[in-house]
Amino acid sequence: MATIPITKRGSEKLKDELHKLKTVERPAVINAIAEARAQGDLSENAEYDAAKDRQGFIEGRIQEVEGKLSVAQIIDPSELDAGGRVVFGATVSLEDEDSGDKVTYQIVGEDEADLKLGLVNISSPIARALIGKEEGDVAEVQAPGGVKRYEIVTVSYI
């Protein structure tokens, strides 16, 4: 399996989720199953079925997170030296050439992407258009409303 890039912050977020799943969620669902079993007939016990479904989800998520962490290539953006180029982990300030609107994005891994927080997935169209470019370059992004052109104002590694 190939490595997947993730920022240090994203790695910590996944580790925290894994810890919560193992120490809080898993024991809670085990207790719920035990309580449902104590009620008797399992064939018509909705609480038991719901708890078993929840247990399956939790165990699946634990495996998924452990798998991602095992192949993660953790990148600390503050330690990058890409010579001003846009790379994974870089924070990029852009200006829309048509409207003049300014936006700032950090290019992150799939699990940490959140557009509301300015975190864009490395495989998103905008991130793919920005990778390798430098301050002053123009990136063309295929958007649902047509091609958008963004000028790269600043590139930082924070």
Side-chain angles (χ1 to χ4, degrees), residues 7-79:
T7 64
K8 194 173 181 182
R9 179 183 63 239
S11 168
E12 292 302 319
K13 186 177 164 186
L14 280 178
K15 287 176 184 175
D16 289 345
E17 179 184 358
L18 183 62
H19 180 73
K20 181 180 178 204
L21 285 168
K22 286 184 170 183
T23 61
V24 178
E25 301 288 333
R26 183 187 270 168
V29 80
I30 289 170
N31 286 338
I33 290 170
E35 288 175 20
R37 270 199 184 126
Q39 294 175 7
D41 185 12
L42 298 181
S43 63
E44 295 181 17
N45 190 328
E47 288 86 12
Y48 179 77
D49 291 340
K52 288 299 280 184
D53 287 346
R54 179 82 179 131
Q55 182 183 35
F57 172 79
I58 290 169
E59 294 302 326
R61 184 63 183 156
I62 287 171
Q63 286 181 345
E64 183 182 353
V65 172
E66 285 177 338
K68 286 179 181 183
L69 287 171
S70 70
V71 296
Q73 177 186 3
I74 300 170
I75 297 171
D76 186 352
S78 64
E79 295 177 5

Side-chain angles (χ1 to χ4, degrees), residues 105-127:
Y105 296 124
Q106 181 180 17
I107 300 174
V108 297
E110 176 184 337
D111 289 305
E112 25 183 352
D114 186 345
L115 198 54
K116 291 178 188 141
L117 299 176
L119 305 173
V120 295
N121 186 345
I122 183 75
S123 61
S124 68
I126 190 156

